Amino acid sequence: MTVTKAPAACLIGWPAAHSRSPLIHRYWLRTLGIEGGYVIEAVPPDNLRDFVLRLSLRGFVGANVTIPHKEGVLELSTPDARARAVGAANTLWFADGELRSTNTDVEGFIGNLDASAPGWDAASEALVLGAGGSARAIVFGLLERGISCVHLANRTIGRAEMLARQFGPKVHPVAWDDIDDVLPRAKLLVNTTSLGMHGQPSLDLEVARLPDGAVVADLVYVPLVTPLLAAAKARGLKTADGLGMLLHQAVRGFELWFGQRPQVTAELRALVEADLTKT
């Protein structure tokens, strides 16, 4: 591959064709007047090691990483504390000649909450649904922000118990059937599961049991307003949607690669919304 003078980053995934990352990063490059590029690289699992170790030779200053490579890139890079704690990385960059990795899902989620529901961190108890990679990032972020009690509910209780052991005594595993008992104390509710996503089963949950003033966040962004968020809005509760997290998690990677910190604007959100709703 010919190395170009303008810095370029890429998205590494398999498959990766439907990612909105190019739309986001090319918007920032254009609006900030930066000569640079962002492309999708579909990399089969068997080719990941070779691709990542030759990233700079391919002309890239860094990369986003998506399914199924978020765990695999850890051993091919130097992960920071967040990537190690979450057990997955979604951003690669070079510093002092070394390939480093982080997980910006943490700050993407927290940044979106700060923008959508200021004061959310006054909550003493949070309830997180799911125990996959996204849940690990969310739990890490909540504990880092000072939330004193995180209830973690998962359909397979063993996975919630495993995360609780990893993150310590502030994380409490909850059986899926016991969610109703926790809802009245949860000033923050976060759905990290695929329930409510287009084509997936709905999330059967009694939003009415949440306390007044609770904040509800959903990582799903197709549809933009999930049934969970719609029910929360109908109650007058503050909400944070999955699209906001998607936009905010992209900020740090762009800054690391191109040297300027971009802003999540209403114009950018409208651009991505329009793309998501295209038939």
Side-chain angles (χ1 to χ4, degrees):
M1 177 182 288
T2 302
V3 178
T4 59
K5 291 182 180 178
C10 65
L11 173 76
I12 302 170
W14 184 261
H18 299 295
S19 171
R20 269 69 188 191
S21 290
L23 188 65
I24 297 168
H25 290 289
R26 288 170 187 169
Y27 168 86
W28 283 331
L29 288 168
R30 186 172 66 251
T31 56
L32 291 171
I34 297 172
E35 185 181 354
Y38 189 99
V39 298
I40 289 177
E41 293 281 356
V43 180
D46 288 349
N47 294 357
L48 179 66
R49 182 178 182 84
D50 177 74
F51 188 92
V52 170
L53 293 181
R54 295 174 181 267
L55 195 63
S56 63
L57 294 177
R58 297 173 187 273
F60 294 116
V61 295
N64 282 134
V65 185
T66 189
I67 294 170
H69 300 319
K70 287 187 176 185
E71 292 79 21
V73 296
L74 287 180
E75 65 180 39
L76 303 174
S77 60
T78 301
D80 67 4
R82 286 183 173 182
R84 286 195 301 270
V86 175
N90 70 347
T91 303
L92 301 172
W93 80 101
F94 291 96
D96 301 322
E98 182 179 51
L99 183 63
R100 301 186 183 182
S101 59
T102 188
N103 190 308
T104 65
D105 284 340
V106 177
E107 60 218 79
F109 174 73
I110 298 298
N112 185 40
L113 270 181
D114 285 340
S116 303
W120 66 270
D121 50 352
S124 57
E125 295 186 57
L127 171 59
V128 176
L129 307 179
S134 295
R136 296 169 75 101
I138 277 36
V139 171
F140 181 88
L142 294 179
L143 295 176
E144 188 178 55
R145 190 60 172 260
I147 303 301
S148 57
C149 176
V150 178
H151 303 281
L152 187 63
N154 194 58
R155 283 166 288 189
T156 305
I157 187 65
R159 294 196 66 181
E161 291 170 343
M162 181 178 68
L163 260 66
R165 287 194 296 271
Q166 177 188 346
F167 285 109
K170 292 182 180 179
V171 179
H172 306 274
V174 177
W176 197 258
D177 291 341
D178 294 335
I179 288 175
D180 278 354
D181 297 336
V182 179
L183 285 173
R185 307 199 303 276
K187 295 289 281 189
L188 173 66
L189 171 67
V190 186
N191 176 41
T192 77
T193 76
S194 61
L195 295 175
M197 184 184 294
H198 181 72
Q200 297 293 322
S202 62
L203 175 58
D204 187 18
L205 184 143
E206 289 291 335
V207 172
R209 294 182 64 83
L210 287 168
D212 292 339
V215 175
V216 177
D218 200 332
L219 271 56
V220 172
Y221 58 86
V222 181
L224 289 168
V225 180
T226 63
L228 174 64
L229 294 182
K233 287 174 183 288
R235 261 202 68 189
L237 302 179
K238 291 181 179 179
T239 61
D241 62 25
L243 177 54
M245 177 177 168
L246 177 71
L247 299 174
H248 282 276
Q249 65 82 29
V251 169
R252 186 171 176 225
F254 186 95
E255 183 180 22
L256 288 167
W257 306 323
F258 301 112
Q260 291 191 47
R261 188 169 181 84
Q263 299 296 313
V264 175
T265 61
E267 182 182 47
L268 173 59
R269 184 182 169 93
L271 184 70
V272 180
E273 273 192 24
D275 188 70
L276 288 170
T277 54
K278 281 194 302 192
T279 53

